[in-house]
Amino acid sequence: MRPGESFVGQPIRSLQTMLRVLAQYDGKYASVVPDGIYGPQTMAAVAHFQRLHGLRVTGVTDQQTWDMIVNAHEPALVHMDSAQTLEIILNPSEVITLGQSSPNMFVVQALLAVLSQVYGSVGAPSHSGTLDTVTAESLSSFQALSGLPMTGNLDKITWKHLALQYPLASNLQSKRSRGEEGRPI
């Protein structure tokens, strides 16, 4: 739903898409169907936007109205899009072993903490930023669950499996905390 990417050279459709995102994000805005036609529905949505923002109400998208719609659209789009992904970079052949500290270990320990709540066979790690004995045992349990060699070390293969398992586990944990049904795994 990004007008700059989706509708290059189609300003009306871009306008309509931005208005639609605003309406989905906040019900005080009028929604339109992005059909590329500046018809009565688009004019009414623009007039409604102008009214809400203290602009002269004409239903016509002048530069000031356009700029305000773009400015309102950007934060709405952030809320409507998926959360920004975080890419952890382990160097080729990098392995974090027992006793080593790394900023990435805080992330790994957070992932393991969630996984330990969902998967009973994975023990809770510490939260030290160091691959200590408790975290190594947690990693070993996770590696066994994932069919990986039980080294207790963090390598790229283990990271990949952590990253693949976390979204499912965190979703299950969120459902449980909201009181929705969730089967133990």
Side-chain angles (χ1 to χ4, degrees):
M1 287 201 144
R2 296 180 189 273
E5 297 169 7
S6 303
F7 303 122
V8 173
Q10 299 181 47
I12 296 170
R13 194 176 301 263
S14 296
L15 170 70
Q16 292 167 330
T17 301
M18 288 187 288
L19 290 168
R20 185 177 187 97
V21 167
L22 286 170
Q24 289 173 333
Y25 171 65
D26 186 341
K28 71 181 179 185
Y29 294 103
S31 185
V32 295
V33 175
D35 61 6
I37 300 168
Y38 205 104
Q41 185 186 29
T42 301
M43 285 187 77
V46 169
H48 185 71
F49 181 90
Q50 290 169 328
R51 192 174 305 103
L52 288 172
H53 290 271
L55 300 171
R56 190 167 59 96
V57 179
T58 62
V60 174
T61 306
D62 58 11
Q63 190 63 49
Q64 183 182 18
T65 301
W66 176 269
D67 291 343
M68 288 190 78
I69 290 172
V70 168
N71 288 336
H73 171 258
E74 287 301 319
L77 190 59
V78 169
H79 289 284
M80 297 295 293
D81 273 352
S82 300
Q84 181 65 41
T85 58
L86 172 66
E87 188 172 331
I88 301 295
I89 299 173
L90 294 177
N91 293 320
S93 303
E94 180 180 1
V95 177
I96 299 173
T97 59
L98 190 63
Q100 288 183 314
S101 296
S102 167
N104 292 336
M105 282 310 302
F106 286 109
V107 176
V108 169
Q109 289 167 332
L111 296 174
L112 285 168
V114 171
L115 292 168
S116 72
Q117 293 174 11
V118 174
Y119 303 122
S121 62
V122 176
S126 67
H127 299 284
S128 62
T130 299
L131 184 50
D132 54 21
T133 304
V134 175
T135 302
E137 289 171 3
S138 181
L139 266 174
S140 289
S141 299
F142 175 77
Q143 288 167 331
L145 184 68
S146 300
L148 301 173
M150 293 174 54
T151 64
N153 296 327
L154 177 64
D155 55 20
K156 288 180 88 169
I157 293 172
T158 302
W159 171 257
K160 178 180 180 176
H161 283 267
L162 284 167
L164 290 171
Q165 287 295 316
Y166 177 76
L168 174 64
S170 65
N171 188 39
L172 289 172
Q173 188 60 25
S174 294
K175 285 182 178 180
R176 287 181 184 165
S177 67
R178 291 190 308 259
E180 296 176 21
E181 290 296 316
R183 294 185 337 201
I185 295 177

